[in-house]
Amino acid sequence: MHHTCGLLRRLATFPFTVSDTLPISLPTASEEDLVRRLKARDESALTLFYDRYASALFGVISRIVKDDDTAEDVLQEALVKIWNAFPAYDAEKGRLFTWVLNICRNLAIDKIRSRQHRVGTRTQGLDDSLAAQRMPAADSFRPEHIGLQEVVQTLVPEQRQIIDLLYFGGYTQSEVAEELKLPLGTVKTRARTAIKLLGKLIR
Amino acid sequence: MEDPQAYIESGILEQYALGLLTPAERVAVEAEAARHPLVAEELAAGQRALEYYAEAHSRELPAAMRDRVLTKVLAQITPAAAEAPVAAPVAATAGAPTPSASLRADVDALARPQAAAEPGVRSISSAAAPTAPRRGLAIAASIALLLSLFGNAYLYQQWQGADTALVALQDTQNRVAANTLVVEKKLGEVKEQNAVLRDAEFHFVALAGTPDAPQDRARVLFNAKTKQVYVDVQKLSPAPTGRQYQLWALNNGKPVDAGMLTQAAASGERLERMKDIASAQAFAVTLEPLGGSASPTMPIQAMGTI
């Protein structure tokens, strides 16, 4: 597959650029409109999709894989997967953003797992990741979004660490409990409280 | 059925939103959300909270990345890639390429550097090409490359198609599993009701509306041996807000609490099992404050003796 992608990539850069194959898009397409066009297999809707969601998706992916080049590859893979799986998306079962976030998270987590698999055992990976998570957010990540400052102010570091491990690390609650030497109940409560607090930030 | 509030408190909805559940567990949660609006609301709130969290991590992306990513994605999803294997052999044998719409540009672009004129392909066989003896080889190599490219693209497309079909199938399977759960639960309820209705040990006690509520009709099914009590509502006026129907067993003139009627029971949707009663000569319902009272505080709405 990598072989193919490489060739396709080389081929793709040859004769055309995005700007002359795609119509100029309006940035304010509604979610329903976007869903309808993607369902209708309208390729130009992918541009709208990118403009609307890519910066958030890339933010999440890069937070998981911790490397911008890999994150770009994962984002690209995710867009192809979203396009291909789109007939299975059911708007009644959940919002588009949640659905695509989960696809991106799963791909990114698969990516770091296969990397850890090559490097060594899973536990080492978790240790590394925990070490990274313990670092203050400002060192590892520059917030470019006002929302993150609100998040930092709302969640205590313990809550944020647990949400980060669960949401960005791909770890189960038991794994987090074991690694942080906390009772499972505490991990569950902190996760629950953190999500509740985040919910209150939405206006 | 489990209490929706207890279900929410259990934290399983957060695990769902964080993507920590197995597919089977996810189906169960979705079924629960379909049954209880409260659960569905809580689930959506959790997902929105995490959407917000994700959004908070947004990064500003360079414009060059947009072009790079979209070009690659479009190259991978373009349907023309699937037609490629058909077009390729034609190009090789006939020497008159008939490439499909969007691949034409690609094919042309690859062919241009080698062949100034059209008959680029024909010159493979004519080894005595005067200007460049290696040109034939180069063209053969680029055709081989093109063929392999088309082959790969075709296989990739097939694989992607299978992947999509699998996702769709899994989705259908999940939906069927969720439906089965719901149907099984309903079947269990119906079986239980049927058993009660066919049991000769049950006394049927008709409750008639009092002058306060002359239209009200209900039945109590009472089994003196097993002490089981069921209530079967034909018609009760809708309970005003803050009130709930409570069933009382009258034993030697003294009212004994026989339990609260749920919304489903009071609207006559189903037969409902009430508290077991040791002995009774009559049954009555009153409209009590939510949660019920220890002894009746309100006038009797409907009543009947055994």
Side-chain angles (χ1 to χ4, degrees):
Chain A
M1 190 203 133
H2 264 279
H3 181 56
T4 318
C5 289
L7 286 169
L8 281 171
R9 233 173 263 156
R10 228 172 298 151
L11 178 65
T13 48
F14 236 111
F16 57 83
T17 60
V18 173
S19 51
D20 60 35
T21 53
L22 294 172
I24 292 161
S25 50
L26 298 166
T28 50
S30 71
E31 187 177 310
E32 297 97 288
D33 189 35
L34 199 50
V35 169
R36 195 175 45 70
R37 288 176 64 178
L38 286 169
K39 284 266 186 209
R41 313 314 276 153
D42 174 357
E43 292 176 10
S44 64
L46 275 174
T47 317
L48 296 182
F49 183 91
Y50 183 97
D51 292 341
R52 193 177 159 132
Y53 294 114
S55 49
L57 297 178
F58 187 82
V60 168
I61 293 168
S62 62
R63 188 101 170 98
I64 297 173
V65 302
K66 301 188 176 65
D67 166 63
D68 284 3
D69 288 340
T70 315
E72 188 175 324
D73 284 348
V74 173
L75 177 65
Q76 179 208 324
E77 257 178 78
L79 289 176
V80 172
K81 186 155 187 176
I82 286 162
W83 173 263
N84 286 329
F86 208 81
Y89 167 67
D90 182 356
E92 284 184 8
K93 281 173 96 181
R95 282 149 54 94
L96 179 62
F97 190 33
T98 290
W99 188 71
V100 299
L101 268 174
N102 286 337
I103 288 180
C104 291
R105 278 179 53 233
N106 289 339
L107 276 180
I109 288 166
D110 284 351
K111 187 71 99 187
I112 52 168
R113 290 224 170 123
S114 63
R115 199 161 62 194
Q116 280 161 11
H117 192 71
R118 263 182 274 128
V119 173
T121 64
R122 176 77 199 284
T123 329
Q124 271 168 353
L126 183 52
D127 285 342
D128 289 351
S129 175
L130 281 169
Q133 304 282 0
R134 280 192 196 104
M135 288 196 296
D139 285 3
S140 55
F141 183 75
R142 273 175 294 113
E144 289 166 14
H145 194 275
I146 189 86
L148 194 65
Q149 285 159 20
E150 271 189 284
V151 166
V152 173
Q153 282 160 12
T154 305
L155 300 185
V156 296
E158 288 86 343
Q159 288 166 342
R160 196 160 167 236
Q161 179 189 39
I162 282 174
I163 287 294
D164 279 358
L165 284 170
L166 292 171
Y167 197 63
F168 294 133
Y171 301 115
T172 65
Q173 293 183 327
S174 333
E175 284 170 331
V176 171
E178 204 178 303
E179 219 45 49
L180 297 181
K181 311 238 174 337
L182 287 171
L184 181 58
T186 309
V187 172
K188 285 189 174 180
T189 316
R190 279 187 197 167
R192 197 168 138 64
T193 319
I195 291 176
K196 277 250 174 293
L197 288 170
L198 287 172
K200 289 201 181 117
L201 288 176
I202 305 167
R203 277 168 286 256
Chain B
M1 173 40 30
E2 223 181 315
D3 172 22
Q5 199 56 43
Y7 189 78
I8 290 168
E9 300 290 339
S10 76
I12 193 164
L13 301 181
E14 282 77 11
Q15 295 188 55
Y16 181 100
L18 284 163
L20 298 174
L21 298 180
T22 64
E25 289 170 320
R26 295 182 75 84
V27 170
V29 169
E30 280 161 14
E32 205 66 30
R35 266 199 292 277
H36 297 290
L38 209 62
V39 173
E41 205 182 299
E42 192 74 13
L43 186 63
Q47 290 181 331
R48 273 197 305 274
L50 287 170
E51 283 187 8
Y52 179 85
Y53 194 55
E55 195 122 43
H57 289 83
S58 290
R59 301 258 311 257
E60 211 151 307
L61 304 180
M65 179 176 152
R66 181 181 187 271
D67 284 7
R68 254 192 332 263
V69 168
L70 284 174
T71 308
K72 287 175 191 168
V73 169
L74 286 171
Q76 283 189 46
I77 65 169
T78 178
E83 296 163 29
V86 184
V90 176
T93 50
T98 50
S100 57
S102 84
L103 267 182
R104 161 169 254 134
D106 311 2
V107 174
D108 287 349
L110 279 176
R112 216 172 288 129
Q114 285 97 21
E118 252 298 298
V121 181
R122 213 178 302 142
S123 64
I124 300 174
S125 49
S126 59
T131 44
R134 286 201 195 149
R135 184 194 274 173
L137 207 61
I139 291 171
S142 39
I143 286 176
L145 172 69
L146 262 183
L147 283 176
S148 127
L149 186 66
F150 290 143
N152 280 328
Y154 175 71
L155 288 175
Y156 180 73
Q157 200 73 21
Q158 293 276 306
W159 176 69
Q160 288 289 316
D163 207 28
T164 313
L166 183 65
V167 169
L169 269 177
Q170 280 170 342
D171 193 53
T172 314
Q173 198 199 3
N174 286 350
R175 239 175 296 152
V176 171
N179 280 343
T180 311
L181 279 179
V182 172
V183 170
E184 269 175 7
K185 186 173 168 284
K186 287 216 172 108
L187 181 65
E189 281 171 10
V190 171
K191 270 188 178 161
E192 188 191 341
Q193 295 184 6
N194 193 33
V196 170
L197 290 170
R198 294 183 60 182
D199 191 337
E201 288 293 333
F202 274 94
H203 296 285
F204 284 55
V205 185
L207 307 189
T210 59
D212 275 359
Q215 303 293 317
D216 288 1
R217 291 280 178 282
R219 284 193 306 183
V220 168
L221 287 77
F222 174 52
N223 185 330
K225 272 194 190 153
T226 61
K227 320 292 183 205
Q228 286 176 338
V229 174
Y230 285 83
V231 68
D232 178 19
V233 170
Q234 273 82 47
K235 187 193 173 313
L236 281 181
S237 329
T241 21
R243 294 295 174 83
Q244 196 180 0
Y245 281 104
Q246 185 166 9
L247 181 69
W248 304 94
L250 298 173
N251 189 27
N252 302 325
K254 258 189 63 185
V256 179
D257 171 31
M260 307 304 297
L261 272 72
T262 61
Q263 181 57 37
S267 60
E269 249 173 57
R270 63 159 189 250
L271 214 59
E272 186 154 87
R273 173 117 186 236
M274 307 301 287
K275 290 185 181 170
D276 287 359
I277 293 296
S279 161
Q281 293 80 47
F283 287 93
V285 287
T286 62
L287 265 174
E288 297 294 332
L290 283 182
S293 312
S295 57
T297 62
M298 303 300 292
I300 288 172
Q301 301 284 311
M303 178 164 174
T305 50
I306 296 174

